[in-house]
Amino acid sequence: MSLPTSARIDIERFWTTIERSAEIGTGRPGGLSRLALSDADKQMRDVFVGWCKEAGLAVRVDAIGNIFARRSGLDDSLPPVVMGSHLDTQFNGGRFDGIAGVLGGLEVIRTLDALGHRTRRPLELVNWTNEEGGRFSPPMVGSGCFAGVYTLDWARSRSDDDGKSMGEELERIGYAGEAQAAPPPLDAYFEFHIEQGPILDREGVQVGVVTGGYASTGMIVEFRGETAHTGPWPMEKRRNALAAGARLLTAVDDLGWQFAGSGGKATAARLVAWPNKAGIISDWAQATCDVRHADPEAAAVMAERMLRAAHEAAARANCSAEILDAWRWGGKVFDEAMVGLVRETAAGLGYSTRDILSQAGHDAYFLARHTPSAMIFAPCKGGITHNNNELCTREDLEPGLNVLLRAVLTRADR
Ligand SMILES: [Zn+2]
């Protein structure tokens, strides 16, 4: 039994969920500051779980707090078709990043309920834990854990700036569920997300068909030196870890400018030091940075220069450098048939489309290591994101959500 081709999501019903979400964990005017595993994250999770239960979905939580909501199919022995994204935000986040994907998946399920349509394969809707990496580094910990990229123990031991671990915080908010032995087989994974860049908005294109991601490399480097008096201590004896970190970060920023002509990006993201006070030289610093480029070869050159810059910065400041953590994602990760399905579905619905590379990290990158995956991008005004002025209208989101509905149905009813 197939759904009539005229079936569409209900944008007003979807919008009420966006508006309710926008009340939880408010930050600067118009924005959200809903950090992973905070009280606000717990409140949003509770509201989301309530909506899922109202829709008759079976909810389970895994050991890293990922929430799975399942709608049974005509044949529940088949692996599910999965939709997901994240409900956590950055410190100065918007109302749509990640949220539109999770609540968009809920809207797909509500649309099927309203039409009385049961798919052949079961459907699952997922909220991944700590996608942003704003409170706990690195990003995409929940999906990485699910896909076997990170171990549960390692993920649970990630700690925030106050020394609270993900494990403790999961237990505190009541979202530490059952450990999984191995990731269960999935039929497919779809993630609807705002572009977080200016291309679709500038070109007036309704749907972005995501073919892959910028090849990205990030790292956290720890520098160690020695404390000393800032006055009498001779320059040639100084081992200023803060200066080493600062040198690395300005070198990384320079790298971004060197590659800017071909669209490369480099970010000096974070520098912390101890004691980081006047009158004393800091003996410890931690610097976080990343580089990314559409061309994997250029990305590899940038990554190599970033690494070299860490060692040069340490040598110049007479400090030691240790790479504490490094991550890499992007490239042509998505399944060609799935990408093709998104492209054909959008064209069939009469929407304007273009192929596009994601410049941000996404849970779909890790899911793609486990199951055929695809992403659907919607425009956002001016590409503004990770900012309280992030803005999408109903008209920006509706086409991509209808593509999500039809593509999920095609996959789940085959
Ligand atoms: Zn996101």
Side-chain angles (χ1 to χ4, degrees):
M1 183 192 71
S2 66
L3 204 63
T5 50
S6 59
R8 298 287 185 275
I9 61 104
D10 181 339
I11 193 70
E12 292 306 324
R13 182 173 54 198
F14 166 75
W15 209 257
T16 62
T17 64
I18 288 284
E19 286 181 335
R20 175 70 187 108
S21 157
E23 296 170 350
I24 301 171
T26 52
R28 289 184 181 170
L32 289 173
S33 187
R34 194 159 69 208
L35 304 178
L37 313 185
S38 63
D39 289 351
D41 186 19
K42 175 195 163 44
Q43 193 190 345
M44 185 64 232
R45 285 163 174 263
D46 290 350
V47 168
F48 173 64
V49 167
W51 283 335
C52 291
K53 288 186 173 166
E54 273 170 34
L57 306 179
V59 175
R60 72 175 197 282
V61 178
D62 74 8
I64 201 66
N66 297 320
I67 302 172
F68 299 81
R70 184 180 173 99
R71 186 179 193 263
S72 54
L74 296 172
D75 184 350
D76 278 326
S77 67
L78 295 171
V81 172
V82 180
M83 299 172 279
S85 199
H86 59 96
L87 293 169
D88 70 324
T89 80
Q90 275 289 341
F91 278 82
N92 186 27
R95 288 167 285 163
F96 303 96
D97 173 4
I99 298 159
V102 179
L103 301 183
L106 179 65
E107 176 51 36
V108 165
I109 285 169
R110 287 174 167 183
T111 300
L112 298 180
D113 285 346
L115 293 163
H117 181 83
R118 188 143 305 269
T119 52
R120 177 165 181 253
R121 290 159 204 275
L123 301 181
E124 284 194 9
L125 173 59
V126 191
N127 169 44
W128 302 110
T129 296
N130 189 44
E131 191 276 345
E132 290 293 0
R135 181 178 176 199
F136 302 99
S137 185
M140 293 129 64
V141 166
S143 52
C145 225
F146 174 84
V149 178
Y150 303 129
T151 66
L152 178 61
D153 286 347
W154 184 86
R156 280 178 57 93
S157 69
R158 299 304 89 203
S159 71
D160 69 6
D161 287 348
D162 299 325
K164 289 180 184 149
S165 71
M166 279 192 70
E168 287 161 12
E169 287 293 275
L170 280 165
E171 275 146 34
R172 185 184 69 81
I173 67 164
Y175 278 89
E178 294 282 304
Q180 62 178 22
L186 311 180
D187 181 74
Y189 176 75
F190 290 95
E191 185 162 349
F192 171 74
H193 205 286
I194 64 170
E195 181 202 334
Q196 301 185 282
I199 298 169
L200 297 176
D201 183 45
R202 188 174 60 218
E203 298 182 357
V205 171
Q206 292 168 295
V207 177
V209 179
V210 187
T211 54
Y214 272 40
S216 307
T217 305
M219 62 181 192
I220 300 177
V221 186
E222 186 171 79
F223 295 99
R224 288 193 182 274
E226 194 171 25
T227 68
H229 196 293
T230 54
W233 198 240
M235 284 306 290
E236 66 272 17
K237 288 194 166 179
R238 293 184 182 216
R239 303 182 60 212
N240 188 338
L242 174 62
R247 282 181 180 281
L248 166 60
L249 292 182
T250 53
V252 169
D253 188 58
D254 286 346
L255 256 181
W257 288 104
Q258 285 158 24
F259 283 82
S262 57
K265 310 280 172 68
T267 307
R270 177 178 158 93
L271 177 62
V272 284
W274 192 92
N276 199 26
K277 298 289 182 203
I280 183 168
I281 289 167
S282 287
D283 70 354
W284 175 89
Q286 223 181 63
T288 308
C289 48
D290 65 69
V291 291
R292 54 193 87 193
H293 203 287
D295 170 14
E297 281 179 33
V301 172
M302 292 180 83
E304 191 256 309
R305 289 192 194 167
M306 176 173 71
L307 190 62
R308 199 193 314 153
H311 294 296
E312 284 169 2
R316 181 70 175 73
N318 201 19
C319 293
S320 66
E322 187 188 350
I323 313 296
L324 288 191
D325 199 4
W327 54 92
R328 189 181 292 264
W329 60 67
K332 287 247 170 249
V333 291
F334 298 128
D335 181 79
E336 255 180 58
M338 288 279 289
V339 173
L341 172 60
V342 168
R343 191 184 291 117
E344 286 152 26
T345 303
L349 287 165
Y351 296 134
S352 55
T353 72
R354 65 163 280 162
D355 286 5
I356 193 166
L357 286 173
S358 170
Q359 302 190 39
H362 291 293
D363 294 309
Y365 291 2
F366 286 159
L367 267 291
R369 299 188 189 188
H370 176 62
T371 194
S373 299
M375 291 191 79
I376 302 160
F377 271 1
C380 57
K381 298 293 176 227
I384 295 168
T385 190
H386 289 191
N387 184 302
N388 54 307
N389 293 314
E390 179 184 278
L391 184 64
C392 300
T393 61
R394 291 163 173 79
E395 292 70 31
D396 290 325
L397 301 182
E398 188 170 13
L401 289 173
N402 279 318
V403 173
L404 179 68
L405 169 71
R406 303 304 314 197
V408 163
L409 272 176
T410 301
R411 191 81 192 184
D413 274 341
R414 81 188 196 288

